[in-house]
Amino acid sequence: MKIAIGADHAGYRLKDEIAPFLLSLGHELVDVGCSCGDSVDYPDYAVPVCDKVVSGEVERGILICGTGIGMSIAANKTAGIRCALVHDMFSAKATREHNNTNVLAMGERVIGPGLAQEIVKIWIETPFSEGERHKNRIHKVMAIEAHQS
């Protein structure tokens, strides 16, 4: 799977832990940065990741900031993105099965690299359930998105 990954200054260390892990699982990565602790703005990294997902250049995206909150808010402003902020394994699975999320947000200040790797692995490997009730709910969310455009 081809995955775009991005982080701000508060998440780049976790990004740098997750990237080689994803490569070890056989995935291809597009890293949009950042790669240092100098203060940057999280939307500057959320937008390129989301654009790559929406365009089809990549299948999914991963965003990391201090809490994951800012990245998830910015990501969900992009039409076609369903981003979930996840800090536990149950939610990682549920957000794929029920919401068919295409972007994952995490917070470096909230979880460590071991748990982050578990979350990413579950999120990557869990398919959408294809359940009619879940499809219906996703269509309703997409209708809200279309109405706002």
Side-chain angles (χ1 to χ4, degrees):
M1 180 180 304
K2 193 169 183 181
I3 302 163
I5 190 166
D8 70 0
H9 61 281
Y12 83 93
R13 287 175 296 275
L14 186 57
K15 176 183 69 74
D16 289 349
E17 294 275 343
I18 296 298
F21 174 70
L22 286 166
L23 293 172
S24 77
L25 295 176
H27 300 289
E28 186 179 343
L29 285 185
V30 177
D31 187 337
V32 305
C34 91
S35 296
C36 70
D38 298 338
S39 184
V40 295
D41 299 326
Y42 57 82
D44 295 340
Y45 299 91
V47 170
V49 167
C50 292
D51 286 349
K52 289 179 186 318
V53 172
V54 171
S55 74
E57 181 181 335
V58 301
E59 294 171 69
R60 300 214 198 135
I62 297 174
L63 297 168
I64 306 166
C65 63
T67 62
I69 296 168
M71 285 291 201
S72 64
I73 291 170
N76 281 312
K77 298 296 182 186
T78 302
I81 294 297
R82 287 179 308 283
C83 177
L85 172 57
V86 175
H87 292 133
D88 64 88
M89 294 181 291
F90 174 80
S91 298
K93 185 174 181 174
T95 195
R96 284 288 309 134
E97 285 181 340
H98 297 192
N99 310 110
N100 198 18
T101 54
N102 50 13
V103 176
L104 172 69
M106 296 183 291
E108 179 179 309
R109 295 175 180 160
V110 180
I111 58 173
L115 178 55
Q117 289 177 359
E118 291 287 332
I119 288 167
V120 166
K121 188 173 188 323
I122 291 167
W123 184 75
I124 294 284
E125 294 177 353
T126 301
F128 177 52
S129 72
E130 299 293 336
E132 286 305 313
R133 68 180 186 186
H134 301 303
K135 286 181 182 179
N136 184 50
R137 292 169 186 158
I138 291 169
H139 289 301
K140 286 183 177 187
V141 170
M142 292 168 61
I144 294 167
E145 190 175 88
H147 176 73
Q148 300 296 322
S149 299

